[in-house]
Amino acid sequence: MWSESELNTIVVALSAALAPANGREWETGATESGDAQFYLLDSLPDQACELCVSRIGGRYILEDGSGRLLFEHRSLPLVAQHARAAMSSRSWSLVARLVLLSFTVRHTVQEKIEPLLIEGEELLVHVAPQLAVFA
């Protein structure tokens, strides 16, 4: 089980990620061996695990939601700082992906759609005088 002090250290470090607007929640649990675990859960309905902090022996282990080791140390405050950094870098990663997507869409429009419009305009310039004969 986690002590109140340990839980407070983790929750304070993740306070931005746990803000009500984000919809995230946290739970505690235990490994098969009975070691304490803290789970940062994504918003409903999925509530997938985003981060996990485990206390195994005298060490604290930080893993992402896929179980990849992010950091390990005997100092919980240091592990909590890494957890906060992992969550903030994750939100910046999402922003970076959205910016990249917008540039990709813009580039695609400029490279693929605009030439078609210009070609259509040029075709109209060449064909319009001949169509005027039928008017």
Side-chain angles (χ1 to χ4, degrees):
M1 292 302 233
W2 293 104
S3 71
E4 187 174 327
S5 173
E6 287 174 316
L7 280 176
N8 190 45
T9 299
I10 298 169
V11 170
V12 166
L14 295 174
S15 61
L18 289 166
N22 294 330
R24 290 186 181 101
E25 297 180 10
W26 60 272
E27 292 286 333
T28 60
T31 65
E32 295 84 19
S33 308
D35 298 306
Q37 289 190 304
F38 175 96
Y39 308 103
L40 178 65
L41 305 174
D42 198 2
S43 58
L44 289 172
D46 298 334
Q47 285 201 309
C49 179
E50 292 190 61
L51 282 178
C52 177
V53 178
S54 303
R55 183 186 66 228
I56 300 176
R59 299 189 70 78
Y60 296 95
I61 292 112
L62 175 64
E63 298 173 317
D64 67 8
S66 301
R68 288 185 296 243
L69 178 66
L70 299 177
F71 190 69
E72 180 179 346
H73 203 273
R74 291 193 174 279
S75 168
L76 180 58
L78 190 56
V79 171
Q81 286 177 353
H82 280 268
R84 177 180 32 226
M87 289 310 295
S88 64
S89 69
R90 188 174 174 165
S91 63
W92 279 110
S93 173
L94 177 62
V95 170
R97 287 182 196 162
L98 291 174
V99 168
L100 183 61
L101 176 65
S102 70
F103 283 131
T104 303
V105 168
R106 183 175 177 194
H107 179 74
T108 301
V109 167
Q110 287 177 341
E111 292 292 317
K112 304 291 183 191
I113 306 296
E114 285 182 5
L116 292 176
L117 294 175
I118 292 170
E119 287 175 18
E121 189 176 304
E122 289 174 358
L123 179 65
L124 185 61
V125 168
H126 291 296
V127 173
Q130 293 158 358
L131 291 176
V133 172
F134 296 111

